[in-house]
Amino acid sequence: MQLRDNFSLQPFNTFGIDVKAKHFAAFTAVQELQSILALQPETLMILGGGSNVLFTKDYDGLVLHNELKGIELVKEDKDYYYVKAWAGENWHQFVQYCIANNYAGLENLSLIPGCVGASPMQNIGAYGVEIKDVFYELEAYHIHDKTLVTFNREDCAFGYRESVFKRQYKNQFVILNVTYRLSKQPHYNISYGAIEQELEKMAVTDLSIQAISQAVIHIRSSKLPDPKEIGNAGSFFKNPQVPAEVFKQLQTVHPAIVGYPVGDNEIKLAAGWLIEQCGWKGYRKGDAGCHAKQALVLVNYGHATGDEIYHLSEEIIQSVQQKFGVTLEREVNIV
Ligand code: FAD
Ligand code: EPU
């Protein structure tokens, strides 16, 4: 393990923001992590694929890049495979590994950037599935107590883009590995309309987890910018939830407003629609912008600073608040 100083994080965040970490190290084994933490670094953060962070300034501390690797089938029973992946595994490659082995349940989550270790942080989700649906347990290392702790699904308190690791345990644990409980018999989830349409386009007659994964990959590639081409971190904001009453009132003024029922009496609004209606879709100021095909995605066309992107997000929040009386919350972790 090599400790580097004044280290550029530009290749380590998908926004491509050019900031420096005061110190940087990568760890490939738990013992390496333990020996770094024994030095009691004051300020530190764990970084995976950097696909859900916006750096707004140089990081005045130690950035630890998680490079723990390995995937193992830890047990199986009549209905399930229990598959453990170490935190530094690439998420999409892990999903493809599961699909190739006929472990069902992660296919709708194909092509999400980042690493396995971050997947429980915000309970990643797409196309009708969230990881909480197939999560079994994870092992994490407590940074100050220096203990190994196992979290089951309840312990993680998963919600929409939420978990205890984003809230009360923020910056307290390093997630080391995650075990998923994947089905022997697939339960196809094509409830998200676009998947069904894409499967039809692909002329799929025999539904399979492979076909669903391909459909998801096609849909995602058609509207989400590839961070290798345009810097971004996916949806910058969460889709806001409002009481059904509020939705009804909004509908009377904005009949085309897009919303989906969730739980009892709550509606999840499409933030992309709200932002587009405020005129931001395709907006660009300098190198900071709002993506032309998906208004929920803020982009860096090349040399934007984290501050410029943050400032744009502030302006968007204010205009949505003014036009609709709805407060957008950022999904991306601001550092
Ligand atoms: P990072 O950005 O490196 O880290 C995110 C946060 O988790 C940081 O606070 C970091 O400190 C912390 N962290 C990371 N690893 C660990 C660890 N091992 N232990 C403790 N803390 C850790 N997300 C979705 O949910 N659904 C989508 O459909 C989706 N689509 C996306 C599309 C694009 C084009 C992009 C760029 C992003 C998208 N995202 C999506 C967001 C992102 O891919 C996910 O949040 C992903 O899980 C982030 O993984 P990462 O390894 O890059 O995390
Ligand atoms: N819409 C617009 N204009 C836009 C974008 C969207 O009007 O510019 C409307 C459309 O009506 C569309 C609806 O919003 O039908 C929903 O759009 P989309 O299906 O693209 O999904 P989303 O709500 O914008 C969410 C997640 C994505 C996830 C997709 C698919 C959040 C914050 N975002 O986006 O996750 O991939 O659904 O399930 O929940 C991420 O978290 O980074 C992410 C990309």
Side-chain angles (χ1 to χ4, degrees):
M1 185 235 351
Q2 202 186 349
L3 194 65
R4 294 154 192 264
D5 296 333
N6 208 22
F7 186 80
S8 172
L9 295 175
Q10 195 170 26
F12 291 89
N13 71 98
T14 60
F15 257 123
I17 303 292
D18 192 9
V19 287
K20 290 194 167 62
K22 191 171 179 190
H23 308 293
F24 179 94
F27 60 98
T28 55
V30 178
Q31 292 86 329
E32 266 185 321
L33 171 70
Q34 286 169 320
S35 54
I36 305 170
L37 295 181
L39 303 172
Q40 314 261 359
E42 256 178 40
T43 313
L44 109 161
M45 77 170 280
I46 310 295
L47 195 60
S51 65
N52 208 21
V53 286
L54 176 69
F55 288 105
T56 55
K57 52 184 179 298
D58 287 339
Y59 189 75
D60 190 23
L62 169 65
V63 171
L64 281 179
H65 192 233
N66 188 330
E67 294 179 10
L68 299 172
K69 294 282 160 80
I71 300 176
E72 48 194 301
L73 177 64
V74 286
K75 64 173 177 175
E76 62 181 287
D77 56 28
K78 189 166 75 46
D79 298 318
Y80 299 105
Y81 297 110
Y82 298 77
V83 188
K84 179 196 276 191
W86 288 79
E89 285 289 340
N90 173 274
W91 174 260
H92 179 63
Q93 281 168 15
F94 170 57
V95 171
Q96 292 304 304
Y97 173 91
C98 293
I99 291 169
N101 285 285
N102 278 318
Y103 305 155
L106 293 176
E107 52 281 0
N108 293 50
L109 302 173
S110 297
L111 213 62
I112 296 181
C115 296
V116 167
S119 58
M121 285 292 300
Q122 65 157 11
N123 176 28
I124 57 169
Y127 300 96
V129 173
E130 292 179 328
I131 62 105
K132 73 169 171 47
D133 304 330
V134 283
F135 177 91
Y136 183 62
E137 64 180 25
L138 65 78
E139 273 186 302
Y141 189 73
H142 195 285
I143 292 172
H144 299 291
D145 298 352
K146 316 253 183 292
T147 48
L148 261 184
V149 183
T150 301
F151 288 79
N152 65 22
R153 196 160 72 144
E154 272 168 26
D155 300 330
C156 293
F158 290 124
Y160 166 57
R161 299 294 190 271
E162 281 297 347
S163 77
V164 282
F165 302 103
K166 223 174 161 176
R167 295 280 165 192
Q168 63 264 44
Y169 294 152
K170 195 176 159 114
N171 295 331
Q172 290 185 37
F173 284 96
V174 183
I175 295 169
L176 301 177
N177 58 59
V178 188
T179 301
Y180 284 101
R181 193 183 76 159
L182 302 169
S183 298
K184 293 190 168 179
Q185 279 302 319
H187 305 284
Y188 302 125
N189 186 334
I190 52 169
S191 56
Y192 214 89
I195 297 191
E196 229 169 328
Q197 288 160 21
E198 189 61 38
L199 288 167
E200 266 174 45
K201 243 202 267 173
M202 289 162 56
V204 169
T205 43
D206 283 335
L207 198 52
S208 63
I209 56 175
Q210 288 77 7
I212 292 180
S213 171
Q214 276 310 311
V216 168
I217 290 172
H218 290 165
I219 301 166
R220 294 182 68 97
S221 311
S222 72
K223 57 178 164 186
L224 288 168
D226 180 348
K228 286 196 200 95
E229 286 156 23
I230 307 176
N232 76 93
S235 302
F236 199 89
F237 306 98
K238 293 184 189 182
N239 286 322
Q241 268 172 232
V242 296
E245 261 315 291
V246 173
F247 183 65
K248 251 194 220 153
Q249 286 160 15
L250 282 167
Q251 255 181 332
T252 57
V253 190
H254 311 281
I257 192 166
V258 182
Y260 314 89
V262 280
D264 295 339
N265 242 5
E266 285 274 309
I267 305 288
K268 194 187 269 185
L269 302 176
W273 187 88
L274 301 175
I275 297 169
E276 184 176 348
Q277 296 307 305
C278 292
W280 292 105
K281 197 170 181 172
Y283 173 89
R284 176 172 178 171
K285 185 177 181 189
D287 273 351
C290 180
H291 191 51
K293 289 188 195 163
Q294 227 301 1
L296 199 44
V297 178
L298 301 192
V299 293
N300 173 12
Y301 285 103
H303 300 286
T305 62
D307 241 4
E308 285 168 337
I309 307 256
Y310 185 82
H311 184 73
L312 173 60
S313 74
E314 238 356 274
E315 287 187 282
I316 291 175
I317 291 173
Q318 277 170 24
S319 70
V320 168
Q321 176 70 48
Q322 241 163 32
K323 190 170 171 84
F324 298 102
V326 172
T327 309
L328 293 182
E329 195 189 327
R330 293 179 186 85
E331 177 194 302
V332 171
N333 300 282
I334 310 296
V335 183

